[in-house]
Amino acid sequence: MTKAIKLLTALPQVQRERLMELAKEVSFPEDTRIFEAGGNADRFWVIRSGAVSLDQQVTPTQRVTVASLGAGDLLGWSWLFPPYQWDFGAVAFSQVRAYEFDASAVLAVCVEDPLLGLSVVRTVAEILAHRLETTRGKLMEQYSSRGRSVI
């Protein structure tokens, strides 16, 4: 399994500094719901400390945790793709400190600076690919632990 990609450390320094000009420091107390699936995806965060669980509502009364994120991880990518709605929910598993970015401001800077835009899109795509690979691995483990062969 490959190492997790971190948005801020993956960007070249000049581009990282430009992006950080748009950052706002925020915090979320433990057990705070940060966003809900289907909500308006108009921002994203880079976690500085703490842990966030991504979840999916599977029945009216049950949620399943699909990923856990920590320091350096990107929280939220739906701001980058239409229809700009969260695909999952997110809850602070512990006290969380993060950098918050307004999506429209970041997108405007990416249009002004196409190299920054390309770097952001590529890095987010790499993060998504890594998360998909991790999820696939977990699903295969669960499936094979039930005594079924994996094709």
Side-chain angles (χ1 to χ4, degrees), residues 3 29 44 48 51 60 84 87 90-91 108 110 123 140-141 151:
K3 185 179 176 192
F44 66 95
R48 296 176 56 213
Y84 309 108
D87 287 316
V91 65
C110 288
T123 303
M140 290 177 68
E141 283 175 23
I151 299 174

Side-chain angles (χ1 to χ4, degrees), residues 7 11 79-81 107 110 114-128:
L7 177 66
L11 293 174
W79 60 274
L80 195 53
F81 306 102
L107 290 170
C110 288
L115 288 178
L116 174 61
L118 180 60
S119 292
V120 167
V121 169
R122 267 195 173 146
T123 303
V124 170
E126 287 179 36
I127 291 167
L128 293 177

Side-chain angles (χ1 to χ4, degrees), residues 24-91:
K24 173 176 120 179
E25 292 187 30
V26 298
S27 63
F28 301 101
E30 182 176 355
D31 295 328
T32 299
R33 180 142 297 272
I34 301 169
F35 56 83
E36 188 64 73
N40 184 33
D42 61 355
R43 61 197 67 247
F44 66 95
W45 301 264
V46 173
I47 300 169
R48 296 176 56 213
S49 65
V52 173
S53 296
L54 296 179
D55 59 27
Q56 182 69 56
Q57 189 91 35
V58 291
T59 70
T61 59
Q62 183 184 14
R63 293 179 189 271
V64 173
T65 298
V66 295
S68 297
L69 306 177
D73 284 333
L74 171 68
L75 172 60
W77 51 265
S78 299
W79 60 274
L80 195 53
F81 306 102
Y84 309 108
Q85 294 178 330
W86 300 119
D87 287 316
F88 301 102
V91 65

